[in-house]
Structures are given as C-alpha cells and as structure tokens.
Amino acid sequence: MTTFLRKRIISSAIPLVFVVFGVFCLARLTGNPVNLYLPLSATSDQRAAFSAEHGFDQSIGAQLWDYLGQVVRLDFGTSLRTGQSAADMALTAFPATLQLAAVTMVIAALGAILIGSLAAYRPNSVADRIASFLAMAAASIPDFWFAITGVLIFGVNLALLPTSGVSGGPEVWVLPIATLLIRPFGVLVQVVRGAMVAALSAPYVKVARSKGAGEKRVIFGHALRNAITPALTVAGDLTIGLVNGAVVVETIFGWPGIGKLMIDSILQRDFAVLQAAVLLTALTIFALNILIDVCYALLDPRVRQAVPA
C-alpha cells in the first residue's frame, strides 16, 4: 500500500508543476493591469511607478522566477484590487464551492444508488427504460443551458426561487444544486444500474437467494456492496468535475465561491488572486485524486498488487 500511494502521489503531482507555469503565463495574456487600474489621463511616470511597484516592469522570466520563489515560501502576493492577501481571498471563497459540491454529490450519489438499483432489479422493464432514458437525458444536458432555463422559469416567470446570491433560506441552494446535480446524477444512475445488473446475475447472489435471503438483503446487502466499486470511482471523478467546473454555475447564480473569484480576477486582471485560486483548486483536485485511489485500492486489493515495487 505504501508503494502504491507513493507512486500515485508522484504521478499526480507532476501536473501541478504544469499548473503553476500555465496559470502564470495564461494570466498575462489577459492584458496589462496598468491599463485597467490607472485612468486614461495617467502620465507615463505614473504608469511606470505602478508597474515598478507591482513588478510589471520586469521581464516575464524575472516575474516567473519571483513567482516561483513566492510559491515555495507559500506567499501568493496581494490583490491589486483590494490589497488583501491573495491566499486569504482564495481560502475564504473556497468553502462555498466545497459546500456546494459536497451537498450536490451526496444527493446525486444517494439518488443514483436507489434508482439505479431499482432499475436493475427488473432489467428492460418499463421502469428500467424510463429510468435509463431520463438518466441519459440528464447526463446530456449542458450545465449552462439548464442554469439559464431554471433562472428564466423559476426565477423570472414564476418568481419562486432567487436567481442569485446566498442571502436567504434554503431556497437559495435549489437552482445551483439542481444545475450541478443533473449531470452527475444521470451518469451515476447509468453506472449503478449497469454494475447492479451484472452483480445480480452473479453466482453469489444466486446462492444467497437459494439460502432464503430476502430481496432487500440480496439487492442492498450482497449485490450493491460489490457493485459500489465502479460507482465510487466515477463518483470521485464527478466530484472533481464539480469542484473544477463550478465556474459557470457560480458566475450565473452569483455564488461567492472559488469559480466566481477566478472569473472576477480574470476580468480585473488580478494576477495574484487568480494564481492563488487556480493553484488551490489544483491542490484540492490532487488531494481528491489520491483519496479516490486509496479508497479504490482498499476496496479492490488487485489494484495495489498491480503496482510494481
């Protein structure tokens, strides 16, 4: 297990290096912050002073070297817009994203396990076909389209739900969660259904039934326990996708998470905040990948044995 974990950490850490270099270079492509933070009437001396104060007068190579030195010291600079620590701003916004992703994934997983298991109980029945069709449709709907449609119908036309912000009761969670929920739910229903169909036809299930085990015990006690492994892997990947892809949802609904912070930082050319937000997201995805691999290895010892020493 130690060898497996070490190799997975090394292989997963390599992309982090590319993220550090990539976010630095891509952030500079958004434009010169001097043109945004100083008025058009600013003199050349004022522009030069602003650039020198924030290090923009240096070459790209020198700026990159300074940035790497800061990252090693866990110093991510300060925001051009607010003067706050970039790391503090990212850490303040990130819990909102994690909460949204966690609640969404729990609801999606529980619902998918229930519906997928019931659909697999009678393959090719009317209930199975309806569940499979709805799951495929849900997995195919783009998040942004569902979000905009939800705002139009339930926020504007019916005025039942708030369209943005987090102030209020539980109703502020409905549209953001529904938007993030639909695709993971559709994918997980299909995965659970397929794994359960295979598990319910396995010999150990026939043996359990021959010994008089009830159908609930057969489905949720025997078959589901063995079918949960592929569902766990897919659920982990979908959770990573929720953390990584919450940018659109948070922007549409004004959710104060890390995705909205990234978009605001890009529009405001706030390089330090953007770099801190992207790196924090990448580190979280790195940790989630390792956690998923460990859980998968614990559930299936063949995964550990397949890794050479």
Side-chain angles (χ1 to χ4, degrees):
M1 187 65 180
T2 303
T3 301
F4 170 81
L5 186 59
R6 184 181 69 251
K7 288 183 175 293
R8 292 301 298 134
I9 290 176
I10 294 174
S11 62
S12 299
I14 293 175
L16 288 177
V17 178
F18 291 95
V19 168
V20 171
F21 284 94
V23 68
F24 176 87
C25 297
L26 293 176
R28 269 67 185 171
L29 296 178
T30 60
N32 190 344
V34 176
N35 300 326
L36 184 64
Y37 286 91
L38 291 183
L40 296 175
S41 58
T43 65
S44 58
D45 290 340
Q46 290 174 324
R47 296 170 65 87
F50 182 89
S51 297
E53 179 183 357
H54 299 284
F56 299 136
D57 59 332
Q58 303 178 24
S59 65
I60 294 296
Q63 293 183 47
L64 176 59
W65 182 255
D66 290 341
Y67 171 61
L68 293 177
Q70 290 177 335
V71 170
V72 171
R73 300 191 304 270
L74 300 181
D75 177 12
F76 298 97
T78 58
S79 169
L80 290 174
R81 180 171 56 92
T82 65
Q84 294 178 273
S85 167
D88 290 344
M89 293 179 66
L91 290 172
T92 300
F94 203 53
T97 298
L98 289 181
Q99 290 173 0
L100 192 61
V103 172
T104 299
M105 205 61 238
V106 168
I107 296 175
L110 294 177
I113 289 173
L114 178 61
I115 294 178
S117 299
L118 294 177
Y121 182 62
R122 296 186 183 277
N124 299 320
S125 64
V126 175
D128 178 32
R129 292 178 181 180
I130 293 175
S132 298
F133 172 78
L134 294 178
M136 291 180 62
S140 305
I141 295 176
D143 293 346
F144 69 89
W145 180 87
F146 188 87
I148 294 173
T149 304
V151 169
L152 178 63
I153 296 175
F154 297 101
V156 177
N157 293 339
L158 299 179
L160 294 176
L161 298 171
T163 58
S164 64
V166 293
S167 59
E171 66 275 6
V172 302
W173 290 77
V174 175
L175 284 178
I177 287 180
T179 302
L180 285 176
L181 172 72
I182 185 166
R183 183 178 179 276
F185 176 75
V187 173
L188 281 175
V189 167
Q190 297 178 68
V191 173
V192 172
R193 188 257 178 202
M196 284 294 292
V197 168
L200 287 171
S201 61
Y204 63 84
V205 170
K206 297 178 181 179
V207 171
R209 282 174 171 160
S210 67
K211 291 182 177 180
E215 287 303 304
K216 289 184 179 180
R217 181 174 178 80
V218 168
I219 295 174
F220 296 104
H222 295 281
L224 183 60
R225 190 188 325 178
N226 290 277
I228 204 68
T229 301
L232 174 64
T233 303
V234 175
D237 292 338
L238 291 172
T239 303
I240 292 172
L242 290 179
V243 174
N244 195 35
V247 175
V248 173
V249 172
E250 291 181 359
T251 302
I252 292 176
F253 295 108
W255 195 267
I258 199 74
K260 187 174 184 300
L261 181 65
M262 289 182 193
I263 296 298
D264 292 343
S265 301
I266 292 172
L267 296 176
Q268 296 157 359
R269 299 174 191 170
D270 203 345
F271 297 158
V273 177
L274 176 61
Q275 291 163 177
V278 172
L279 187 55
L280 178 59
T281 303
L283 287 171
T284 302
I285 293 174
F286 167 79
L288 287 174
N289 272 319
I290 297 299
L291 180 61
I292 293 168
D293 290 338
V294 170
C295 292
Y296 194 63
L298 291 174
L299 289 172
D300 190 349
R302 293 172 298 178
V303 176
R304 302 194 302 269
Q305 296 170 0
V307 178

